[in-house]
Amino acid sequence: MTEQDRTSIATRVGELEARTGTQVVTAVVGKSDSYPEAPWKAFALGTGAAALACVMWQLAAGGWSVDASPTGHVLVILGSGAFLALLTILFSPFARLFIDRTRRDVEVTQFAQSLFFRRGLDRTRGRVGILLLVSLFERKVVILADEGFDGRVDVPDWGALAGRITLLLRHATIPMAMRAGLEGMEAMLLERGFTGPGLANDMPDGVLEIEDER
């Protein structure tokens, strides 16, 4: 994000907090987990497919020769596996093919929960802390809110808002989707009776940008 984007989101967060009396932290993380299994799964696929191709090619050529050296086949098989493993490191869309969606969703939620407590959102006055997390690799948005919202804003309400922001990420830039999400959050909170003036600002309004969770 550009500095202008960061300033715009921080300003929008400040306005939301002042109008609703809540405390909001926005965060963008590159990846919520390292997913070490992705390269290994790709390597297994590459070596398996290459081994099958070598067998089929050898049979088509008239079968195996006793004097034939296996070195060439071994290099092809290992090279194919290494190539696919490398692709998972370089290209996120390819890596996602080897990670179950449920696992991705669990990792984002766990990362969001950890960040919620690390940033002290459970210790705001009035227990009105909110975390809006965008995890780029998983293409998922999670919103977590403290117990001060219980009874007026339920978990399905936060989930529906997060779902709308996730859809926006497919068609808009990250800053645009986040600003639209903050506007939707403010409208929902005002509708449910959360109005200012806000409490003293306990949290920074700027976007937390985290490259990767290792």
Side-chain angles (χ1 to χ4, degrees), residues 7 54 74 89 97 210:
T7 301
C54 287
V74 171
I89 298 173
L97 297 175
I210 307 165

Side-chain angles (χ1 to χ4, degrees), residues 90-153:
L90 298 177
F91 300 103
S92 294
F94 188 69
R96 279 194 294 269
L97 297 175
F98 298 93
I99 306 169
D100 182 76
R101 178 180 294 275
T102 300
R103 168 148 158 68
R104 300 200 306 263
D105 290 349
V106 168
E107 292 298 336
V108 177
T109 300
Q110 289 180 344
F111 179 78
Q113 291 170 342
S114 173
L115 185 62
F116 187 92
F117 291 111
R118 292 204 311 264
R119 303 301 300 187
L121 282 162
D122 60 324
R123 300 191 298 272
T124 62
R125 281 167 282 185
R127 303 298 297 271
V128 288
I130 303 171
L131 171 66
L132 190 163
L133 172 72
V134 178
S135 194
L136 300 179
F137 174 82
E138 297 84 355
R139 297 184 296 185
K140 184 174 177 63
V141 176
V142 171
I143 300 176
L144 297 180
D146 207 357
E147 62 184 26
F149 299 94
D150 293 354
R152 286 194 279 177
V153 185

Side-chain angles (χ1 to χ4, degrees), residues 188-199:
M188 181 176 69
L189 292 173
L190 291 174
E191 180 184 348
R192 305 297 172 87
F194 291 91
T195 58
L199 302 170

